[in-house]
C-alpha cells in the first residue's frame, strides 16, 4: 500500500482488536450465564445455599470480566481488583449498577462456605433476590457488549 496511508493499517488492527475483545467478552458472558443458570437452580427447593452463593459470585466475576474486556481494559484474576474495576466501570458510567460491594460481600460468604464455616454470613441471604439481581446485572453487561459491538 501507499506509505502515506498508515492510518488504514492501524484502523484494521484496531477493528480486529475490537473483534477479538468482543469475542472474549462474549465467551466470559456465556460462562457468567451458565453460572447464573446454576445459581437459579440452587435457590429452588431443596435450596443449596452454599452452591448458590458460590455460583452467583463467580457469575458476577465473569460478567465484570466480560465488561472489562469489552471496554478494552486488561483483565485481572484478583478478586479485590475485579471489585475495584466494577466500581470504575460504574463511575465511568459504562455500567448502571455498582456491584463492587456485592462482589466483596459474596467473596466473604463464598470463602466462609468453601472453608467449611458456612453459617452466620450465609444465613442472612435472600437467595432469590440475590439471583434476580445477578440476572439483571448479566443483562446489563450484555447490553454494554452489544453497544460496543454496534448491535
Amino acid at each position: 500500500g501507499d506509505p502515506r496511508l498508515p492510518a488504514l493499517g492501524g484502523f484494521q488492527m484496531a477493528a480486529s482488536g475490537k473483534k477479538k475483545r468482543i469475542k472474549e467478552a462474549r465467551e466470559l458472558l456465556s460462562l457468567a450465564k451458565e453460572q447464573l443458570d446454576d445459581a437459579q437452580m440452587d435457590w429452588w427447593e431443596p435450596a443449596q445455599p452454599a452452591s448458590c452463593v458460590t455460583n452467583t459470585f463467580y457469575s458476577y466475576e465473569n460478567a465484570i470480566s466480560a465488561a472489562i474486556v469489552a471496554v478494552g481494559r486488561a483483565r485481572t484474576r484478583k478478586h479485590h481488583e475485579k471489585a475495584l474495576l466494577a466500581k470504575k466501570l460504574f463511575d465511568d458510567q459504562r455500567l448502571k449498577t455498582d456491584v463492587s460491594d456485592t462482589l466483596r460481600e459474596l467473596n466473604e460468604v463464598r470463602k466462609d462456605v468453601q472453608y467449611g464455616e458456612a453459617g452466620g454470613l450465609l444465613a442472612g441471604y435472600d437467595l432469590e433476590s440475590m439471583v434476580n439481581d445477578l440476572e439483571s446485572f448479566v443483562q446489563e453487561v450484555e447490553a454494554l457488549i452489544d453497544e460496543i459491538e454496534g448491535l
Side-chain angles (χ1 to χ4, degrees):
D2 188 328
R4 294 170 297 171
L5 301 174
L8 181 59
F11 174 75
Q12 287 172 333
M13 274 180 27
S16 73
K18 178 180 164 185
K19 260 188 174 155
K20 213 167 125 184
R21 279 193 348 250
I22 294 298
K23 182 178 186 292
E24 183 181 356
R26 292 224 182 268
E27 287 167 1
L28 288 161
L29 187 65
S30 178
L31 184 55
K33 286 178 175 181
E34 286 174 29
Q35 292 159 327
L36 167 62
D37 288 346
D38 290 342
Q40 287 169 326
M41 295 300 290
D42 290 338
W43 74 258
W44 284 94
E45 293 299 327
Q48 310 274 329
S51 180
C52 186
V53 165
T54 301
N55 281 311
T56 298
F57 172 72
Y58 286 118
S59 180
Y60 267 115
E61 282 218 327
N62 282 309
I64 282 295
S65 293
I68 291 166
V69 168
V71 300
R73 295 187 67 107
R75 260 173 79 187
T76 179
R77 299 220 177 274
K78 296 183 176 127
H79 300 306
H80 71 277
E81 288 177 2
K82 287 179 187 169
L84 292 172
L85 286 166
K87 179 80 171 121
K88 176 108 179 82
L89 289 170
F90 173 76
D91 289 346
D92 291 349
Q93 298 181 335
R94 299 309 301 258
L95 292 173
K96 294 179 221 117
T97 310
D98 180 0
V99 297
S100 57
D101 289 340
T102 302
L103 277 175
R104 287 186 197 96
E105 281 174 33
L106 287 173
N107 192 34
E108 289 307 309
V109 176
R110 177 194 63 86
K111 285 193 286 189
D112 261 12
V113 166
Q114 286 187 327
Y115 304 127
E117 298 175 25
L121 291 177
L122 187 58
Y125 265 81
D126 173 353
L127 299 179
E128 182 179 2
S129 174
M130 177 183 71
V131 171
N132 287 338
D133 290 348
L134 169 61
E135 184 175 22
S136 296
F137 184 71
V138 167
Q139 290 167 350
E140 185 178 330
V141 171
E142 186 164 33
L144 171 68
I145 296 168
D146 288 348
E147 178 190 316
I148 291 168
E149 191 175 9
L151 295 180

